[in-house]
């Protein structure tokens, strides 16, 4: 089954079925329609999906609900260029198969969850252009497959963890425009 687009006053999982069959891919992009405001908790009902893209929705507010923990089949999660706020849920650390996690250009705040260090299949992590703060967790040094790590344009403080030096596959590491000491 190919990508599916969902439209409405909010992202309604009941509308995201194709003839009652499980969905393997889902792309949510409403092309700047101002009637979408939040990601509903029912997003957890989409456990069969393996790709998620929610991007370019300037009116998408709120946070990522913890019910996202049910989406354990995800290979890619792209929720970028929206206006999402709040912390990045630690439940994302349960996505053992995910290789692309892109949450850039939102307004996420708070500390980066150390659980991201358990995503050993992760090759691309884009968390740039948010309001993330605190120290970068040393557990990110466990991301042995990471190729692209973008943590720039946030509010990280402290020192850069020496464990990032263990990232043997890294090609692009962006840490600029933070508040490191």
């Amino acid at each position: 089954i190919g990508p599916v687009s969902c439209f409405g006053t909010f992202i309604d999982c009941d509308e995201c079925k194709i003839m009652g069959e499980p969905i393997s891919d889902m792309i949510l992009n409403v092309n700047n329609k101002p009637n979408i405001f939040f990601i509903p908790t029912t997003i957890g009902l989409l456990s069969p999906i393996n790709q998620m893209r929610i991007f370019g929705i300037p009116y998408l507010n709120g946070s990522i609900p913890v019910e996202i923990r049910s989406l354990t089949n995800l290979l890619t999660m792209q929720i970028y260029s929206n206006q999402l706020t709040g912390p990045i849920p630690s439940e994302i650390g349960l996505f053992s198969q995910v290789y692309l996690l892109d949450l850039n250009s939102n307004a996420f705040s708070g500390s980066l969850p150390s659980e991201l260090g358990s995503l050993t299949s992760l090759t691309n992590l884009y968390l740039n252009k948010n309001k993330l703060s605190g120290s970068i967790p040393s557990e990110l040094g466990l991301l042995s497959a990471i190729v692209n790590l973008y943590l720039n344009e946030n509010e990280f403080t402290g020192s850069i963890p020496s464990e990032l030096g263990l990232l043997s596959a890294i090609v692009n590491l962006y840490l600029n425009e933070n508040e490191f000491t």
Side-chain angles (χ1 to χ4, degrees), residues 31-116:
N31 297 320
N32 299 324
K33 293 186 185 249
N35 59 339
I36 299 232
F37 296 101
F38 63 92
I39 300 173
T41 57
T42 53
I43 195 118
L45 300 175
L46 293 174
S47 57
I49 67 168
N50 59 29
Q51 296 183 31
M52 177 180 291
R53 284 195 294 170
I54 304 174
F55 64 97
I57 308 172
Y59 302 104
L60 183 61
N61 296 301
S63 59
I64 298 176
V66 295
E67 287 79 4
I68 206 151
R69 69 178 168 261
S70 301
L71 305 181
T72 55
N73 292 317
L74 281 180
L75 300 174
T76 66
M77 175 185 264
Q78 297 171 281
I79 305 177
Y80 62 90
S81 297
N82 301 297
Q83 293 298 317
L84 293 173
T85 59
I88 294 174
S90 60
E91 288 80 4
I92 289 178
L94 299 172
F95 302 156
S96 61
Q97 301 176 71
V98 72
Y99 64 86
L100 169 60
L101 179 57
D102 187 350
L103 303 177
N104 88 78
S105 301
N106 280 287
F108 291 117
S109 59
S111 299
L112 200 55
S114 60
E115 289 83 355
L116 292 179

